[in-house]
Amino acid sequence: DADLLRAQALITQAQGARVQGDLNGAEALAGEALTIYGALDHQAGAAGAETVIANVRFDQRDLAGAEAGYRAAQQRYAEIGNQGGIASALNNRAVVLRQRGDLEQAFALYEEAASIYAAIRNLTGRANTLNNLAALQVIRGALTAAQARFEEALALWQQIESRRGVAYSLDNLGTVQRRLGQLADSRAAHERALALRREIGHRPGELASLSNLAAVLMEQGDLAGASVRLERALALARDLDRPRDEADVQHRRGELRRLQGRVDEAQSHNRDALDRRQQRDDHRAIVTSRLALAQLHLDADRRREAEAALEGVVRDARSGRYDTLAARAHVLLAEASLRRGDAPGATLALDAARLLRDGGVEDHDVRLRIDLVTSQIAARRSADAAAARAALEQLAERARSDGYPLIWLDAHIARVDTLSGVVGREWRTRLANEAAQLGYEGRAQRLRDAAR
């Protein structure tokens, strides 16, 4: 049928125009195809055209229009009993809802899609949807549940022998393992993903694996190794013209420079990441960047600016249900209160962080930081300085055993703060040398200044 062939050609042209960035042209072509499919009463074709139009609207940040389009496609697929099409539309709607911050409804749609894919034995669709479900659980801080879903998705990709899918799930799994404190497993997962992506020539995937591997190396204290990976990732992001990935890499470069004590560079990288994220209206990423900038204020002892920024982060993180980000901000607010001698204020902020931890936030470094600030508050209040020092030393050894050299160092710095006179100066000098050897030059300089 000539009309059917014409509609199919229009959809192909619309998809090409979208790739080229001609969104208005893509929408017009897909709209013409939709008219033809409607006249032919071809529901599957019409659903496909509705989906292309919705994709364009999503690119234009018209989230309401995109959701309506995906919903219309879902209804058409339902009329002809196309279960795979229904599941695909549910996935697309969930992406929009997630972008809008409606995580609960997005989660429900992903679960419905996963069930449909399981019923029709579509392993690829189910694996992709499980990854999407797990990503939402990561946002909510439910890392153990997310890990189980990523592992299930990995098994499915292995079953259908998709190396690209295996690499994708390994990278996701590695990210969750890092946040759970399973640093050696995380590093191994990212290294396997990176090797697979290089084997199959998937450069966007290589970019993601390099950036994720750098995050693990920073946790482990290998700042030089992290820097090498991040510079390679940045070059790839620019070469591939991927502004969202470039923002993520710049954010991590900012964290690296902060750890190295290069505050001006850290601020520049984080502001660059924030600007890019604001252009995309990526709410969670924006809150993450603002948290990083607040941390820089605190590091520079700009307590008033830090506290104002952190209170804003808490509000936005709470409204978006980004519980891990909210917990991190509360811990930093507790640190800021301690620095100005407000132990009750620090306790109040820490109580809020503990509530989030007890409510399901599983990030290992957050839990260690909560324990660290708890010990610091106790040290300020305790008449038994020796007991306070012992508690901080135990925490330091736990951090070392778990593979977190920065928290090990910060626990020892807090311990040294309970010392005075010559002994205190000697310990600060010793710790300054260790901090410098690890690459934490900012902390090393502060210790040197305090030892004078």
Side-chain angles (χ1 to χ4, degrees), residues 223-262:
L223 303 190
S227 181
V228 170
R229 272 72 172 188
L230 286 174
E231 293 311 306
R232 172 61 179 153
L234 182 64
L236 274 171
R238 289 173 173 169
D239 188 41
L240 296 171
D241 190 24
R242 296 178 70 91
R244 181 172 185 171
D245 289 323
E246 185 172 348
D248 293 343
V249 173
Q250 290 288 45
H251 175 81
R252 284 183 169 151
R253 290 178 83 220
E255 174 61 11
L256 176 65
R257 296 297 179 249
R258 185 183 75 82
L259 294 174
Q260 292 172 325
R262 295 156 64 174

Side-chain angles (χ1 to χ4, degrees), residues 267 271 290-291 293-313 333 336 340:
Q267 186 143 337
R271 288 202 177 281
R290 288 173 48 219
L291 178 61
L293 289 165
Q295 171 85 70
L296 286 170
H297 283 310
L298 188 58
D299 286 355
D301 209 30
R302 297 189 292 266
R303 290 193 293 271
R304 184 175 300 174
E305 294 93 330
E307 289 183 11
L310 289 167
E311 286 165 359
V313 168
L333 278 168
R340 55 183 169 80

Side-chain angles (χ1 to χ4, degrees), residues 298 303 307 330-349 380:
L298 188 58
R303 290 193 293 271
E307 289 183 11
H330 280 303
V331 171
L332 291 175
L333 278 168
E335 290 183 17
S337 295
L338 266 186
R339 291 190 188 189
R340 55 183 169 80
D342 181 8
T347 301
L348 194 63
R380 297 283 181 97

